[in-house]
Structures are given as C-alpha cells and as structure tokens.
Amino acid sequence: MALEIERKFLLASDDWRKSVNETRHIRQGYLCNDERASLRVRIVDDEKAYLTIKSGKAAISRDEYEYAIPLEDGEELIAKCAGRLIEKTRHIIRQGHLAWEIDVFEDRNAGLVVAEIELDHPDQEFEHPDWLGEEVSGDGRYTNASLSQHPYHDWT
Amino acid sequence: MALEIERKFLLASDDWRKSVNETRHIRQGYLCNDERASLRVRIVDDEKAYLTIKSGKAAISRDEYEYAIPLEDGEELIAKCAGRLIEKTRHIIRQGHLAWEIDVFEDRNAGLVVAEIELDHPDQEFEHPDWLGEEVSGDGRYTNASLSQHPYHDWT
C-alpha cells in the first residue's frame, strides 16, 4: 500500500510548458466507484496497463494500491468503461525530488488543465511556481473518478 | 480474461460430505460493487491473496479477471471491507474434469450451503448428484457480493 498525498491546482498561465521534462498519454476508466473505493484501469502510451484501487474520501490523502496487469486485460477492461473514460496528456516537470504532473484533459473534459504534486506528508512545504493557479485539492469535482461521470463540459 | 460460467444449487442432503477431495478456508470482501462491476479481495487459507473483478449481471455467465497480490496488501484491503465480509469453508468434489465447490458459509450467513459448478459453456450437460437441491443460478440474493451486504440471517 502507498499513501497517496496529493495537492491539486488550476493553472494561472501556460508558462509551465517551457519546463516539461516528460510527456505521456493516459487513457483510464472506472470499473466501479462507490463510497468506499474506486477501481481504475489505466493504459499509459498504449503500452502498459495498471489496476489501481483508491480508498477513502477525495481529500489530500488516500490509500492507493497499484498493480501492473497484462495490456490485453487492460484493453478489455477499458472497453467496459464506455461513458466513464478519461483521456489526457500528462506533462511531468521535476522539481527537486518532487514532480508536478500537469494533466491536459481531452474529449468531454477538454479545456481543463490541472497540476498535481505528490507529497510525502500532508503539511510538506514545496515551491509554488508562477504558473500555479487556485488550489482545488478539496473540490471533489476535480477527481478523475468524478470527471469521468460529470465531465467539465457539463459544468455550468 | 476468463468467462465465468457457473451454475449454483442448494443442497438436498449432507451426503456430499462423503465425497470431498479438498477443503479450503476463504475470507473475502467487496471493495466496491456497483451496477457495472464488483471488486473482490479474497484470502485463501491465510496464505494467498487475490483481486478479482467480475463484470456483467449475476446470471450464469460473467467476465472475470483475477490477479494474485501480496498477502500483506490482501489483509489491508480485507480490513477495509468491514461489514461486507464473507467467510466460508469451501469443499471441492471432483467430477471428471469438472468440480463441485460446496461453500459452507459462516457468521451472518451461517446455515447457508451452496454448491457451484463451473462450466465451459452455458448449456453444457453435467451429472446431477443425489445431494443436489434446487437450482438458484438466477437468484441474485445468492451471489457472494449480495450476501456480503444482505446476509442470509437477515432474510425473512
């Protein structure tokens, strides 16, 4: 088990694009999602597939379990998530031993860009780059599980 | 992916006990369970842990994906299923290349005994031993996911 401690922000500008170290394409869907846990299947760059269980409320910290699975299983499981899919391009910007993950969403979430940083403990200090906007860590609408069912395009 | 094709029966007598080939103790819980899929964590004989995704309706046939996980993860995940746990002793009776699995439930499902046979295709013929009772394949109350939330003791 890993404890996922993560803070999430909107973006104030596009200046982050100059600092990108790495880029991946992600497709993911939610096979089930209830008040206790969510089960995500993710395919990265059409090459690797993972199952991820997250439990606990969508605050800053959640328990996370991740397992690599065969790509063929991943594709079959993704196909079962029709209507609950997320596609996004993830840009990684390393900052010391931490890393910003900047997700540029596609399809029904196009227009949404979110920056996340994974921390070792909830009150950990970290550098806030100029391109960082409003914090949305506590806002459940920005979880990917929620975006898969209530996409950004449907927000009013 | 495996296609799980399974028929389920109540027991007409205890005569099956004379034919048991193998016995295991099973603890399992449901981390999430919605209309699309369920995610089960199972620990067998306190030794091996598995994650199983089942998708589709609880009829005779469902898609099933199973992955071995570290026992430590299994125990942590089972602990998150408090209130949705199933404990049972599974007795296996081999019948040619098929096998009967006879589950003797415990705790809030004590008193319930169910025999299952896994088939290669839905209309496959198989021998019906004398101890076999009423078929309950189509009855959603007998799925383990349902029993974990609506246990046999609460049935009226």
Side-chain angles (χ1 to χ4, degrees):
Chain A
M1 197 258 295
L3 188 63
E4 179 189 54
I5 302 168
E6 174 174 279
R7 290 179 67 180
K8 196 176 286 195
F9 298 80
L10 300 180
L11 283 296
S13 78
D14 268 351
D15 288 352
W16 57 270
R17 291 192 177 271
K18 295 179 289 196
S19 312
V20 170
N21 298 113
E22 204 180 315
T23 292
R24 296 171 193 156
H25 189 257
I26 292 175
R27 286 182 289 138
Q28 64 190 39
Y30 294 85
L31 282 155
C32 56
N33 186 29
D34 67 17
E35 69 284 359
R36 299 203 173 198
S38 67
L39 173 61
R40 183 185 77 196
V41 54
R42 172 181 278 183
I43 294 179
V44 180
D45 289 339
D46 297 327
E47 279 174 357
K48 291 188 174 176
Y50 304 90
L51 273 186
T52 307
I53 303 165
K54 297 194 187 196
S55 74
K57 295 284 174 200
I60 286 177
S61 119
R62 289 192 293 178
D63 289 350
E64 181 178 295
Y65 297 79
E66 188 158 85
Y67 306 100
I69 60 169
L71 181 60
E72 188 186 338
D73 288 11
E75 291 287 3
E76 288 179 7
L77 289 167
I78 280 264
K80 297 180 188 298
C81 298
R84 289 194 192 182
L85 284 172
I86 294 275
E87 288 209 43
K88 60 189 183 183
T89 300
R90 169 164 286 182
H91 303 276
I92 294 164
I93 297 176
R94 282 187 277 278
Q95 184 182 284
H97 81 287
L98 299 175
W100 287 100
E101 293 174 339
I102 297 171
D103 287 345
V104 179
F105 288 85
E106 300 169 18
D107 296 329
R108 297 173 306 147
N109 287 298
L112 180 63
V113 183
V114 172
E116 290 181 355
I117 192 165
E118 204 159 315
L119 304 172
D120 301 319
H121 48 90
D123 53 356
Q124 185 173 351
E125 307 248 332
F126 55 93
E127 198 186 309
H128 287 233
D130 288 342
W131 40 260
L132 217 57
E134 182 196 349
E135 180 160 10
V136 292
S137 301
D139 189 334
R141 293 177 303 166
Y142 291 95
T143 64
N144 281 240
S146 174
L147 289 170
S148 73
Q149 287 179 273
H150 309 290
Y152 188 59
H153 279 200
D154 296 349
W155 298 12
T156 46
Chain B
M1 194 259 292
L3 188 63
E4 180 189 54
I5 303 168
E6 177 173 275
R7 291 179 65 181
K8 196 176 286 195
F9 297 83
L10 300 180
L11 282 296
S13 79
D14 267 351
D15 288 352
W16 57 269
R17 289 192 179 272
K18 295 178 289 195
S19 313
V20 170
N21 298 113
E22 204 180 315
T23 292
R24 298 173 191 153
H25 189 257
I26 291 174
R27 287 183 288 137
Q28 64 190 38
Y30 293 84
L31 284 156
C32 55
N33 186 27
D34 67 17
E35 70 283 0
R36 297 203 175 200
S38 67
L39 174 61
R40 182 185 77 196
V41 54
R42 171 181 278 183
I43 295 179
V44 179
D45 288 339
D46 296 328
E47 279 174 359
K48 291 189 174 174
Y50 304 90
L51 274 186
T52 307
I53 303 165
K54 296 192 189 198
S55 74
K57 294 285 173 196
I60 286 176
S61 119
R62 291 194 290 179
D63 289 350
E64 181 178 293
Y65 297 80
E66 187 157 85
Y67 307 100
I69 61 168
L71 181 60
E72 189 186 339
D73 288 11
E75 291 286 3
E76 288 178 8
L77 289 167
I78 280 265
K80 296 181 188 297
C81 299
R84 288 195 195 182
L85 284 171
I86 294 275
E87 290 209 41
K88 60 188 182 183
T89 300
R90 169 164 287 183
H91 303 277
I92 294 164
I93 298 176
R94 282 186 279 278
Q95 182 181 287
H97 81 287
L98 300 174
W100 286 100
E101 294 174 339
I102 297 171
D103 286 346
V104 178
F105 289 84
E106 301 170 17
D107 296 332
R108 298 174 305 147
N109 286 299
L112 181 62
V113 183
V114 172
E116 289 180 357
I117 192 163
E118 203 159 316
L119 303 173
D120 301 319
H121 48 91
D123 52 356
Q124 186 173 352
E125 306 250 332
F126 55 93
E127 198 186 312
H128 288 234
D130 287 341
W131 39 259
L132 216 56
E134 182 195 350
E135 179 159 11
V136 293
S137 301
D139 188 335
R141 294 177 304 167
Y142 290 95
T143 65
N144 282 241
S146 174
L147 288 170
S148 73
Q149 288 180 273
H150 308 290
Y152 188 59
H153 279 200
D154 295 350
W155 297 11
T156 45

